[in-house]
């Protein structure tokens, strides 16, 4: 397999954009990535496009990628539309990388695009919960996270204050990110005092709906220098794991740890080599258990990580410098590629006020689906400068 | 890239199965393919799953493949859900082949599954037309085909009788196929006298809704003999083309011809080498123009092909021995893989009463999307015994 590098990334700001269409958002992300890469559009040979909910919330009911890319000026390339719930964006990146690594094509585009807000917010909220038939029994995402977090709090010395600290860190990071949906730095007190959604989760700990798009352009290392003089970012691993998490009479499966294990092996590194990470904090406190699942700390040590500020932008292993899902926003199909864009900017030293000090290796963790159901997925990507 | 062979295929019968779920249909196709291949389920390493309309017509609103495969007993493999309208099934096969060809995995599953019938047939019909915003102006599939066919009839000496002859051939073939939705052999007269849907299309020329699933298992040639002593079917090409067909001030793009051209080139053959073909006759008469687009005859000669019975099962280049979309049925996401299953059975000499005489090379053509819109796709696959 050939070495694959990311030569350009782009995204829209995430947010509530009632006046913008799926096509409009996708076009902006694609053209930002093209400009960043210095690639003329006619050199893009194939595209993988991630989307999860357009079917339910927009007029585009199929071949989402073709609709969006035609609007962006791409009419004649093969388009592969992929879906994997919240991990759809990483699934698109994985496909684009495989096309290039295998020698099928030399330059590939991965796009994630999502339009969740529509005129009827209740409809949008129901669409987001529609991935599982259990939703009608009240098993919406905050309830699920709440149950898991409570079990975890009992097992280790983790408190609601820790969760508020993580959320405060991420809102601070988000306030430094021009692409973030929420740019107000919240204090621990504001977070703890916000409305309880499902204890221990308060309003400001939860990710919300968002509209947005993010894109990455990958090509062979040999070809990259035709286009850009920026630092090349090598895709050292992009590993996808799917499946059921909990089966009766079967050992519990840890999808995040499995995906991370495969990725570390493929990249030939360990968690101690990671300098910056973007992780899937669907609810901000979940970031803490992801520290443990990725091996950034030992089991039971996540609370200490937070207390010591280890994952602040200024800490030894910054996590979610972009603000994460709760502050940056979470337009489902776009999220994985927005994580990748953030790590690329960090590795290239282009992250502005939220720049981590000289990172060489970054990681994204992008999970999707419903852990109580049959349909979870998780992708871990490792990027090297 | 490594040689990829199909070692097993399976499908459900296509039809109206109100009592069967998406999961139920998918499981049957997967297990039929496993049995055909002689592969133990634990050897399947990755799955590509095609579906187009479950979001609109079933309770399964996302990660369709994980839901279906968990029901079939697969809980722990990476699943990539792909969508490309009516060409989704071939898109899944293409992905599975790339995983194996590239060396990423050794044994991969491609599954197409679709559940179109629900308690409200009008809802199903509207879902099938929802791929384009133009549907509300009356541009449903029969209207689109009708307009194209009328232009074509004017240009060449093609008559409604030719279209009826093609539909009669396919219904005859379908009557010999135990998996076909419609198993009554219709006469040319019955077809011409059936209700006019959109002139020149009559009822019995049109494909309808269907429920069903089809699957294929691919692996490396080296590994295949561990599992099966049946003839191996080599995937000589599986080429996907997408994009807009008609742009103002641009030459008309012929997606089918482009995909076929790429496939012939990759397989190192020409149309004269094809011994049997399954093509995407969304409306039976369209089969005729696909003869020309695939190069099975010269432009303007399709009518003569029909008059001389060239594409009958007993002719020199049999087309749609399975009955094609109008007789076998067209559960959108499953269609491409059902075409592949038919060609595999034909190449292995297992097609029973509809067996073509000793074919060595077969082709499938699987098109999707809306030609007047921005979102068409076409895949051509070439299989060799």
């Amino acid at each position: 397999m050939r070495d694959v590098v990311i030569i350009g990334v782009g995204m829209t700001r995430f947010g509530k954009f009632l006046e913008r269409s799926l096509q409009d958002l996708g076009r902006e992300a694609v053209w930002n990535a093209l400009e960043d890469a210095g690639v003329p559009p006619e050199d893009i040979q194939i595209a993988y496009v991630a989307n999860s909910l357009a079917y339910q919330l927009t007029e585009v009911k199929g071949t989402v990628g073709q609709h969006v890319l035609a609007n962006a000026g791409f009419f004649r390339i093969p388009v592969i539309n992929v879906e994997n719930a919240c991990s759809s964006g990483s699934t698109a990146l994985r496909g684009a990388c495989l096309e290039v690594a295998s020698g099928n094509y030399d330059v590939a585009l991965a796009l994630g695009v999502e339009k969740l807000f529509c005129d009827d917010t209740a409809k949008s909220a129901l669409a987001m919960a529609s991935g599982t038939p259990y939703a009608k029994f009240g098993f919406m995402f905050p309830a699920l996270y709440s149950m898991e977090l409570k079990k975890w709090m009992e097992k280790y010395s983790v408190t609601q204050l820790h969760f508020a600290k993580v959320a405060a860190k991420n809102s601070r990071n988000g306030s430094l990110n021009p692409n973030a949906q929420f740019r107000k730095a919240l204090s621990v007190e504001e977070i703890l005092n916000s409305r309880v959604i499902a204890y221990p989760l308060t309003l400001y700990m939860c990710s919300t709906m968002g509209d947005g798009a993010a894109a990455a352009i990958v090509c062979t290392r040999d070809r990259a220098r035709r286009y850009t003089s920026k630092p090349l970012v090598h895709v050292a691993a992009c590993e996808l794991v799917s499946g059921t998490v909990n089966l009766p009479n079967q050992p519990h499966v840890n999808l995040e740890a499995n995906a991370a294990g495969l990725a570390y092996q493929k990249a030939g590194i360990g968690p101690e080599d990671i300098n910056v990470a973007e992780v899937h904090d669907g609810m901000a406190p979940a970031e803490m258990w992801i520290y443990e699942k990725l091996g950034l700390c030992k089991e039971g040590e996540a609370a200490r990580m937070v207390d010591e500020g280890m994952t602040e932008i200024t800490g030894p292993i910054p996590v979610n410098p972009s603000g994460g899902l709760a502050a940056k926003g979470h337009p489902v199909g776009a999220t994985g590629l927005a994580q990748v864009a953030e790590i690329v900017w960090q590795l290239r030293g282009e992250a502005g006020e939220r720049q981590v000090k000289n990172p060489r290796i970054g990681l994204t963790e992008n999970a999707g689906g419903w852990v109580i159901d049959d349909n979870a997925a998780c992708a871990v990507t490792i990027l090297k400068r």
Side-chain angles (χ1 to χ4, degrees), chain A:
Chain A
M1 298 271 234
R2 307 189 293 181
D3 259 15
V4 179
V5 294
I6 298 177
I7 53 169
V9 290
M11 66 182 285
T12 65
R13 184 173 177 182
F14 287 176
K16 180 177 183 174
F17 306 120
L18 283 178
E19 74 293 353
R20 298 191 69 182
S21 67
L22 195 71
Q23 290 91 327
D24 183 30
L25 293 163
R27 182 183 53 223
E28 183 184 333
V30 169
W31 279 86
N32 283 347
L34 288 169
E35 192 183 353
D36 186 45
V39 172
E42 60 272 22
D43 279 20
I44 302 292
Q45 297 169 322
I46 189 167
Y48 278 68
V49 179
N51 171 270
S52 194
L53 291 159
Y55 304 84
Q56 293 186 63
L57 295 171
T58 78
E59 271 209 331
V60 182
K61 302 293 185 191
T63 54
V64 169
Q66 284 88 332
H67 277 101
V68 171
L69 289 174
N71 193 266
F74 294 84
F75 304 104
R76 304 279 157 84
I77 56 173
V79 177
I80 291 153
N81 299 287
V82 296
E83 195 273 341
N84 245 333
C86 300
S87 50
S88 298
S90 296
T91 304
L93 179 70
R94 180 189 180 281
C97 290
L98 180 56
E99 298 288 343
V100 173
S102 68
N104 237 12
Y105 292 97
D106 295 324
V107 186
L109 168 70
L111 169 67
V113 57
E114 202 77 60
K115 173 79 193 154
L116 295 180
F117 281 106
C118 62
D119 289 333
D120 178 358
T121 306
K123 187 179 168 191
S124 299
L126 286 172
M128 288 202 65
S130 65
T132 174
Y134 299 117
K136 60 187 163 208
F137 304 113
F139 288 101
M140 311 278 280
F141 272 118
L144 289 171
Y145 273 94
S146 158
M147 290 192 300
E148 289 295 317
L149 288 169
K150 275 187 248 176
K151 280 193 281 182
W152 199 56
M153 289 165 80
E154 272 185 35
K155 195 165 171 191
Y156 301 109
S157 307
V158 180
T159 65
Q160 198 190 27
L161 180 61
H162 290 113
F163 301 153
K165 286 184 185 173
V166 172
K169 164 182 79 72
N170 288 348
S171 83
R172 214 157 41 240
N173 295 352
S175 76
L176 306 175
N177 183 354
N179 290 316
Q181 184 163 359
F182 302 104
R183 299 204 56 196
K184 181 172 185 299
L186 300 165
S187 69
V188 167
E189 293 68 33
E190 283 174 298
I191 291 163
L192 284 174
N193 293 332
S194 65
R195 187 155 55 89
V196 173
I197 302 297
Y199 183 86
L201 293 171
T202 63
L203 180 67
Y204 291 142
M205 296 179 188
C206 300
S207 75
T208 181
M209 294 188 291
D211 302 331
I217 294 166
V218 299
C219 80
T220 56
R221 187 179 287 280
D222 293 346
R223 196 175 174 118
R225 283 292 171 231
R226 288 192 203 178
Y227 300 122
T228 182
S229 58
K230 293 179 184 172
L232 300 178
V233 174
H234 176 220
V235 184
C238 184
E239 303 302 305
L240 175 70
V241 170
S242 305
T244 299
V245 176
N246 297 308
L247 287 173
N249 310 315
Q250 294 271 332
H252 182 91
V253 171
N254 190 328
L255 287 182
E256 291 89 347
N258 287 356
L262 288 172
Y264 291 138
Q265 191 180 6
K266 182 145 184 199
I269 63 165
E272 66 281 4
D273 298 311
I274 302 297
N275 305 128
V276 57
E278 285 280 309
V279 308
H280 201 86
D281 59 326
M283 306 292 152
E287 183 182 300
M288 289 176 59
W289 73 53
I290 300 170
Y291 299 165
E292 301 185 3
K293 290 177 177 184
L294 296 180
L296 301 181
C297 67
K298 289 191 187 134
E299 202 183 317
E301 292 191 354
R304 188 181 56 78
M305 292 273 282
V306 172
D307 286 333
E308 296 179 3
M310 306 272 282
T311 57
E312 300 277 349
I313 285 176
T314 51
I317 167 65
V319 175
N320 283 335
S322 74
L325 276 62
K328 185 174 52 180
H330 179 31
V332 178
T335 289
L337 283 157
Q339 292 179 323
V340 166
E342 178 68 15
I343 296 296
V344 167
W345 287 321
Q346 291 286 350
L347 295 177
R348 295 198 313 214
E350 297 174 2
E353 288 187 89
R354 62 189 193 285
Q355 180 65 49
V356 168
K357 195 175 169 197
N358 198 29
R360 297 196 60 83
I361 302 183
L363 172 150
T364 72
E365 178 270 334
N366 182 207
W370 295 80
V371 290
I372 53 161
D373 209 339
D374 296 330
N375 60 355
C378 183
V380 170
T381 302
I382 293 174
L383 303 176
K384 286 185 182 178
R385 189 174 61 193

